[in-house]
Amino acid sequence: MRVLHIITGLGVGGAEQQLRLLLRHLPVHGDVVALTAPGPVAAGLAADGVRVTHLGMRGNRDPAALPRLVRLIRGGGYDLVHTHLYRACLYGRIAARLAGVRAVVATEHSLGDTLIEGRPLTFGVRALYLAGERLGSTTVAVSPTVAGRLRRWGVPAPRIEVVPNGIEADRFRFDPLRRLATRRELGLPDQAYVVGGIGRLVPGKRFDVLVRALARLPGDCRLLLVGGGPEEYALRRTAREAGVADRVLLTGERPALPDGSPGPDLPSLACAMDVLASPSPEEAFGLAAVEGLAAGLPVLYASCPAIEDLPPGAAPAARRVRGGAAEFADALTRVRAAGPPQRDPPEAARHYCVTRSAARLMDVYATALTSASYPASALQGVSSA
């Protein structure tokens, strides 16, 4: 089976990194097309042996990109096209159908109650999404919560399949030696209490809440933020204004040491933390929280369908926190007072094993290939992104 994955871009983000991880575990040939600037994940995919093509789109409305994409799909002889993220789902579904591909699967990675990939869910965005969705065989939701949102939007339930995001849980298993080495590489005191945050530095993640919460905590507490993005300067300014600039460490998208050399990987950074906090109020899955659980960390979250969709007790060290800096500071104080955790991953972490997710996705592919059909009239009403 030859599968073409079409994604909007390949910067460092949850959907992009999830695609790379899945491609390592899917037992099919997969190529990738990035509509816009490839970004760091493209280099990682190439290192994995995946062929990555940059389509070179200049913006949301770039009609010349569509025939280029159609030619690329036809030339590749693909059995199935799998699209990821809003713009790629629209262009990719249209191009796949024009190219004659019989099965088109789309994964909805980032649908919230009020936002999709950071853009407001206006009537126009929703209408265009639904018009494009009709061109596909199946829409994959990364959580039951997202599946429910899709149904409320008007996507027919039989067209929706849930395939949760996955992680390589064993990579995150706690190692005390790795914890010590990572802290020393980063210049974190051995005895410091380290609050961790993982994700893109964008307004929706609300990492400023953690900076302000840190100002309410004792001086031996540190904040370790792993990720990059446009809010980095604002977060540094907030830290200065709160008087905690010397206690906040931002690693950037690809962690590096003070001398500029490559820094620890994400599992090592998780080892260095004592608790993971996710103040984002609207998530489609909550991958960072699951990675924190796999590292045996207590997790404080504002929104995490990956945890909320599981039976009670599946993640006993996870707690939902409603509110802002004061509420997170209080919750962090309580977690610290409870003493160091055992650092054993709960059942929730094992539940989201990437091999299980890859197996579920293969079932979706098989069904799409054997039963996909679409009406010729489905192309009507879809004009541009």
Side-chain angles (χ1 to χ4, degrees):
M1 182 193 304
R2 290 179 59 82
V3 179
L4 178 66
H5 294 267
I6 304 174
I7 191 165
T8 300
L10 286 170
V12 178
E16 296 84 353
Q17 297 188 87
Q18 186 65 198
L19 172 58
R20 182 186 179 192
L21 183 59
L22 276 170
L23 283 171
R24 291 176 174 174
H25 292 271
L26 288 170
V28 295
H29 175 87
D31 297 332
V32 175
V33 169
L35 299 187
T36 59
V41 177
L45 285 166
D48 294 341
V50 176
R51 185 171 69 178
V52 179
T53 303
H54 176 208
L55 199 65
M57 280 188 67
R58 296 185 297 273
N60 283 345
R61 289 179 173 86
D62 184 0
L66 190 57
R68 294 200 303 271
L69 188 55
V70 172
R71 289 194 297 271
L72 191 152
I73 295 171
R74 283 177 177 160
Y78 298 103
D79 303 295
L80 182 145
V81 168
H82 188 164
T83 65
H84 308 261
L85 300 177
Y86 181 81
R87 192 192 313 180
C89 283
L90 185 61
Y91 277 87
R93 283 166 169 151
I94 297 172
R97 291 311 190 185
L98 291 174
V101 175
R102 52 187 293 225
V104 184
V105 172
T107 293
E108 183 44 66
H109 294 271
S110 305
L111 178 61
D113 288 321
T114 62
L115 300 171
I116 181 169
E117 298 169 31
R119 60 163 60 89
L121 289 175
T122 63
F123 174 81
V125 167
R126 176 176 170 178
L128 195 56
Y129 183 99
L130 291 174
E133 199 278 336
R134 294 172 58 206
L135 299 176
S137 310
T138 303
T139 295
V140 171
V142 296
S143 66
T145 295
V146 170
R149 290 168 180 161
L150 288 168
R151 288 193 297 270
R152 290 192 294 274
W153 265 34
V155 178
R159 294 172 59 82
I160 303 171
E161 295 288 344
V162 176
V163 179
N165 286 330
I167 64 168
E168 293 176 315
D170 288 344
R171 291 186 62 233
F172 286 87
R173 187 171 295 277
F174 179 70
D175 181 340
L177 296 179
R178 183 162 60 168
R179 170 187 173 87
L180 185 63
T182 302
R183 286 193 168 209
R184 290 182 176 173
E185 284 182 328
L186 297 175
L188 291 168
D190 293 348
Q191 302 305 314
Y193 189 77
V194 177
V195 179
I198 301 172
R200 287 277 293 155
L201 304 186
V202 294
K205 294 297 185 181
R206 287 206 316 164
F207 286 129
D208 60 302
V209 169
L210 299 185
V211 174
R212 294 188 175 96
L214 183 67
R216 297 170 175 263
L217 299 175
D220 65 337
C221 293
R222 300 290 189 276
L223 176 60
L224 176 61
L225 292 179
V226 181
E231 284 289 289
E232 180 174 344
Y233 176 78
L235 288 168
R236 292 187 185 278
R237 183 182 61 213
T238 300
R240 289 195 301 270
E241 293 171 351
V244 294
D246 60 335
R247 294 198 280 143
V248 176
L249 177 59
L250 286 77
T251 70
E253 281 185 348
R254 288 171 288 178
L257 298 175
D259 63 3
S261 61
D265 59 12
L266 182 56
S268 296
L269 291 165
C271 267
M273 299 172 186
D274 292 293
V275 58
L276 185 119
S278 175
S280 170
E282 194 170 293
E283 290 284 346
F285 182 76
L287 187 61
V290 175
E291 291 167 340
L293 293 175
L297 290 168
V299 172
L300 302 175
Y301 65 92
S303 169
C304 184
I307 294 173
E308 295 160 3
D309 290 336
L310 292 176
R319 175 187 166 193
R320 188 172 187 180
V321 180
R322 291 181 170 87
E327 288 76 15
F328 266 89
D330 180 66
L332 289 164
T333 299
R334 292 174 182 271
V335 168
R336 186 178 191 182
Q342 294 298 314
R343 301 296 295 249
D344 294 324
E347 178 58 33
R350 291 186 287 272
H351 177 80
Y352 292 117
C353 174
V354 68
T355 55
R356 180 183 297 182
S357 297
R360 288 190 187 184
L361 190 56
M362 286 302 299
D363 289 341
V364 172
Y365 286 177
T367 301
L369 283 166
T370 56
S371 63
S373 64
Y374 80 108
S377 61
L379 280 169
Q380 297 176 2
V382 180
S383 56
S384 69

